[in-house]
Every structure is written in structure tokens, then in C-alpha cells.
Amino acid sequence: MELDNIKKHCERLVKQIDFYVGEGKGREILSDLYNVTGEETPQECAKCANDVISRLEDNIDSEKLILIRQECACVKTNKYSAYNKKYFKELRENNTDENEYLKAVANFLNGRPRIGQKVEFVDGKIITHMGIKNSCGCFTVKNGWDKPESITWCRCCQGTLYSVYQFVLPEKACHMDIVETHATDGSDCVFSTWYTEK
């Protein structure tokens, strides 16, 4: 199954820009980049993605940009997921201490599909390693690049993880950030997750 292509990605991106920035702003900012067909070569997809990054960074403030990119995730989990309805509930019932629960969550998610190659609980944070070999595993560009030009592109992978991690402690605010990705010349794509009172 094809999870995403550059056309679907741009369509999702326009909707999120319109939501966070203002109606009509998505097409205005992306302009000619919105005319992709989904039949582009990986190299054409990569060029389009880098052009998209430039347009976004030139026109949208960084806080809104993170929210927009997170919402562009190819794969998202919702509140009806087994993670939320079953697994996290069972883990929480068996681990009343919050740190022990988060450690159990990390152990449970370690190596699972859509989560990453390695998940661990370190110094109060869930650390997720998503890297695929030594290059970017983005479905949208399909190996059209070794790495994106900016971590702005990586925020949609952050969104995939956020869609799961927000349900770990739903009564708390879930925060995420990038530790490193191939875009920062890292050897892996690593994300950090932590929780605070709402």
C-alpha cells in the first residue's frame, strides 16, 4: 500500500496552512508547487519537498509551522486505536508510578511498526529512534534524497509519533522535539517526548 505521495502531501499541507494561517493561504504560499500530480520521480519529489520547505519557512512563524507539519503526518493514530483503548490502559493499570508506567510504555513500543527502531525511557523522557539505515526514510520523496534540507520536513514524522504519544498520559500536555535527524547531519532520526501538567 502506498502511504503517501507528493500530491497527497501538498493537499494535506494546504488544508493545514488554511486552518492555522488563514483561508486561502495554503494555495497562496505553495502557489505552483500545488500543481504536482503524484506521478513525479523520487528526485522531482525531493526537489518539490525542498521548495515547499523554503516557502513554509519564508512565510510562516516557527511555532505555527511545527503544528502544521505535525498535522501532515502520513500515518496517524486516533483515539480509537488499540494503543489508546487497550494497551496503554493495561500498562497503566499495572504500573501506578508514572515513571514506571512511561518505562513500560517505552518497552512496549520498542521496535513496533510506525513507532521506530528503538524506544527507551531516559531521564524522564521517551526517546524514539526512527531512522531507517543511514538515510531519510520519508515515504513522500521515496529515496529521492539522502536527507531533507531542514528539520521542518521532519516534523511530519514527529506528528506520526505525537498521534500515539498524546494518548499515553491524556490528562497531561504532551511535548515533543527533535533530538537529531539526517537533516541536522545526525546518524539517526531521534525524537524526544515528555509530559507536563495542563
Side-chain angles (χ1 to χ4, degrees):
M1 180 181 75
E2 185 176 45
L3 292 176
D4 212 352
N5 64 39
I6 197 71
K7 180 176 175 59
K8 291 179 187 174
H9 197 85
C10 285
E11 288 170 352
R12 191 178 305 118
L13 185 55
V14 164
K15 288 179 184 174
Q16 295 307 319
I17 294 170
D18 284 355
F19 179 78
Y20 284 101
V21 181
E23 195 65 35
K25 288 291 184 182
R27 285 194 182 221
E28 180 184 319
I29 290 169
L30 291 190
S31 184
D32 57 307
L33 298 177
Y34 187 72
N35 297 325
V36 291
T37 64
E39 301 298 320
E40 287 76 13
T41 67
Q43 291 71 28
E44 289 169 335
C45 290
K47 182 185 183 314
C48 180
N50 281 324
D51 290 343
V52 165
I53 291 169
S54 296
R55 297 270 179 93
L56 295 176
E57 291 179 345
D58 288 346
N59 290 282
I60 302 172
D61 71 74
S62 58
E63 196 170 307
K64 282 184 181 173
L65 189 48
I66 290 171
L67 296 173
I68 289 167
R69 292 299 297 144
Q70 279 190 168
E71 289 297 324
C72 291
C74 298
V75 181
K76 292 179 79 173
T77 299
N78 62 36
K79 64 183 178 180
Y80 304 108
S81 154
Y83 285 134
N84 181 44
K85 301 284 279 183
K86 182 178 189 304
Y87 301 123
F88 294 156
K89 184 179 177 187
E90 289 175 1
L91 288 170
R92 197 150 196 196
E93 286 171 356
N94 295 325
N95 296 276
T96 53
D97 176 78
E98 186 174 297
N99 281 339
E100 288 303 312
Y101 167 59
L102 292 176
K103 192 183 297 181
V105 166
N107 289 338
F108 171 76
L109 293 175
N110 189 33
R112 287 193 179 265
R114 300 182 183 176
I115 301 299
Q117 303 299 313
K118 179 180 173 186
V119 182
E120 53 191 342
F121 185 65
V122 180
D123 297 329
K125 296 181 177 181
I126 298 173
I127 306 297
T128 308
H129 300 255
M130 282 189 82
I132 300 170
K133 300 181 182 174
N134 291 319
S135 61
C136 174
C138 175
F139 296 115
T140 302
V141 297
K142 301 173 189 67
N143 300 315
W145 58 23
D146 290 327
K147 62 179 184 176
E149 290 184 355
S150 164
I151 61 169
T152 292
W153 192 260
C154 308
R155 297 290 183 183
C156 56
C157 284
Q158 179 174 312
T160 291
L161 296 176
Y162 181 83
S163 75
V164 173
Y165 287 137
Q166 67 180 325
F167 297 117
V168 170
L169 289 171
E171 73 280 8
K172 292 197 170 186
C174 176
H175 307 276
M176 290 198 68
D177 206 358
I178 290 171
V179 177
E180 67 171 330
T181 70
H182 296 296
T184 65
D185 292 326
S187 60
D188 196 354
C189 298
V190 184
F191 298 82
S192 174
T193 308
W194 68 98
Y195 302 88
T196 60
E197 298 298 331
K198 287 184 177 176

